[in-house]
Amino acid sequence: MTPSGKVLYVIVCAAGPASAVGRLVTLAQDAGWTVQVVATPSALDFVDVADLERRTGRPVRSRYRKPHEPKPPRADAIIVAPATYNTVNKFAHGIADTYALGLLAEAPGLGIPVVVLPFVNTALAARVPFRQSVDRLRAEGVHVLLGPGQY
């Protein structure tokens, strides 16, 4: 447990807005959250890891921990921003081939609220697999910020 008792995992994917994830971290911290940043392996090239570690006081995670490494606190909530086409589809289908997707695969079953902010182009957003993935996630209670009244 952290001093505030509220732990937010910010999962960042490899997309243009990833470089601004520090703003989300600051907003969450200002609201009283302890933030753990988790980056997909490709997202590590999109973010300033040292800056995020300085801001959060925690290592940016992108892989499963080794047995001798300390276990991070459990998330009380998760935000995926930006979420790529690949991540949205894999999350919806239960694919857990990265640390970030492993966390997401478990979250609905553990009752951890998840908010997903997709960042995909119009062509990808129009694809049937993507639309079905958004519907699947919403059916499981995942908040996908896409469409009218969303982002």
Side-chain angles (χ1 to χ4, degrees):
M1 172 107 39
T2 63
S4 72
K6 298 184 330 183
V7 176
L8 176 67
Y9 278 25
V10 173
I11 297 179
V12 59
C13 300
S19 63
V21 73
R23 288 166 70 225
L24 175 56
V25 169
T26 298
L27 289 170
Q29 289 173 324
D30 289 348
W33 291 90
T34 296
V35 179
Q36 172 66 63
V37 176
V38 176
T40 63
S42 297
L44 291 172
D45 292 332
F46 285 66
V47 299
D48 184 339
V49 172
D51 179 62
L52 291 170
E53 290 179 341
R54 181 189 55 76
R55 287 176 188 245
T56 64
R58 310 191 54 76
V60 171
R61 307 278 314 272
S62 64
R63 60 168 178 77
Y64 288 96
R65 69 181 177 85
K66 295 178 182 172
H68 66 277
E69 294 175 331
K71 189 174 183 178
R74 182 173 160 177
D76 293 297
I78 298 173
I79 295 177
V80 189
T84 60
Y85 177 85
N86 192 44
T87 295
V88 170
N89 287 320
K90 285 185 172 187
F91 178 22
H93 289 84
I95 297 169
D97 61 356
T98 65
Y99 177 64
L101 284 163
L103 294 170
L104 290 172
E106 288 183 332
L110 293 171
I112 299 171
V114 179
V115 174
V116 176
L117 180 57
F119 187 79
V120 298
N121 65 36
T122 306
L124 292 176
R127 295 279 326 276
V128 170
F130 182 77
R131 293 191 328 252
Q132 289 175 339
S133 291
V134 169
D135 290 344
R136 278 180 161 211
L137 291 172
R138 286 178 173 160
E140 284 199 77
V142 174
H143 301 281
V144 183
L145 304 180
L146 182 73
Q150 302 293 317
Y151 177 74

